[in-house]
Amino acid sequence: GITSSNAKEWLEYGASHVIVTSHVFHNGQIDWERLNSLVELIGKERLVLDLSCRRRIGDTTADGSYYVVTDRWQTFTDVPVNEETLLKLGGYCAEFLVHGVENEGKRCG
């Protein structure tokens, strides 16, 4: 995946942006240090944050919200995909790639 150690290299190869997901999440939280490092390195205008997300099915404490998942969609973070999260992260990237992984590959929109 894309990390602080290889993001610049991909841009030098000609990519207009890099898409980053698991690298900016650690122990279920946003890793602000890694995120800031990426922004300093490549600039927010070239960074796309991938917020792959899933619902916590069967979690009786959950409100049906989607949460960012990492590690090939297997590890839930404590980061909900909601307005507050998008507003916080929006200052660090050019755009978001958001998709509900339960529907990935099912051709259902």
Side-chain angles (χ1 to χ4, degrees), residues 48-67:
V48 176
L49 291 177
D50 176 356
L51 304 180
S52 300
C53 55
R54 290 176 64 189
R55 280 187 251 176
R56 293 183 180 183
I57 305 299
D59 183 350
T60 58
T61 63
D63 60 1
S65 295
Y66 283 83
Y67 288 83

Side-chain angles (χ1 to χ4, degrees), residues 56-101:
R56 293 183 180 183
I57 305 299
D59 183 350
T60 58
T61 63
D63 60 1
S65 295
Y66 283 83
Y67 288 83
V68 174
V69 288
T70 62
D71 306 315
R72 298 189 164 118
W73 308 337
Q74 300 305 305
T75 305
F76 277 93
T77 68
D78 294 328
V79 181
V81 179
N82 60 23
E83 183 178 5
E84 180 182 350
T85 299
L86 296 177
L87 288 172
K88 279 186 196 176
L89 292 175
Y92 295 86
C93 64
E95 56 188 280
F96 296 108
L97 170 61
V98 180
H99 61 108
V101 301

Side-chain angles (χ1 to χ4, degrees), residues 27-46:
N27 291 329
Q29 300 295 319
I30 299 166
D31 189 323
W32 295 105
E33 187 175 323
R34 286 183 180 181
L35 183 55
N36 280 309
S37 174
L38 269 172
V39 172
E40 285 179 30
L41 184 68
I42 65 169
K44 74 175 236 169
E45 65 279 351
R46 301 188 83 182

